[in-house]
């Protein structure tokens, strides 16, 4: 497992387990989220070995999820 330390936006509000994280400027996959441990720490189950710097912006590969719950 690889641990990423983030800054800026609270990682718990942006990422969820199973999300594939991309490097924004190149759309290169960084890895898959295993856990979001805190506001500034993400653990990846698999990592691609892509070099990232402090200023790199991270994003989801598929950012839109729709969860429906029906009850009748």
């Amino acid at each position: 497992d690889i641990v990423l330390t983030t800054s800026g936006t609270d990682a718990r509000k942006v990422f969820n387990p199973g999300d594939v994280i991309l490097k924004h400027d190149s759309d290169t996959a960084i890895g898959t989220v295993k856990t979001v441990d805190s506001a500034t720490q993400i653990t990846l189950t698999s990592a691609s070995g892509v070099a990232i710097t402090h200023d790199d912006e991270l994003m989801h590969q598929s950012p839109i999820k729709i969860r429906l719950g029906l009850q009748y």
Side-chain angles (χ1 to χ4, degrees):
D1 294 345
I2 303 295
V3 176
L4 289 179
T5 301
T6 63
S7 63
T9 305
D10 186 336
R12 297 171 296 187
K13 295 180 180 179
V14 179
F15 298 105
N16 291 299
D19 288 343
V20 175
I21 298 177
L22 304 176
K23 189 173 170 181
H24 182 265
D25 59 353
S26 66
D27 289 339
T28 303
I30 295 171
T32 304
V33 177
K34 178 179 181 181
T35 58
V36 181
D37 307 315
S38 69
T40 60
Q41 184 171 307
I42 302 170
T43 301
L44 304 178
T45 57
S46 59
S48 64
V50 172
I52 56 175
T53 64
H54 176 72
D55 293 331
D56 283 334
E57 186 176 338
L58 306 178
M59 64 180 206
H60 299 272
Q61 183 177 28
S62 302
I64 299 173
K65 293 182 183 178
I66 298 173
R67 297 181 187 165
L68 298 175
L70 303 173
Q71 188 174 10
Y72 57 96

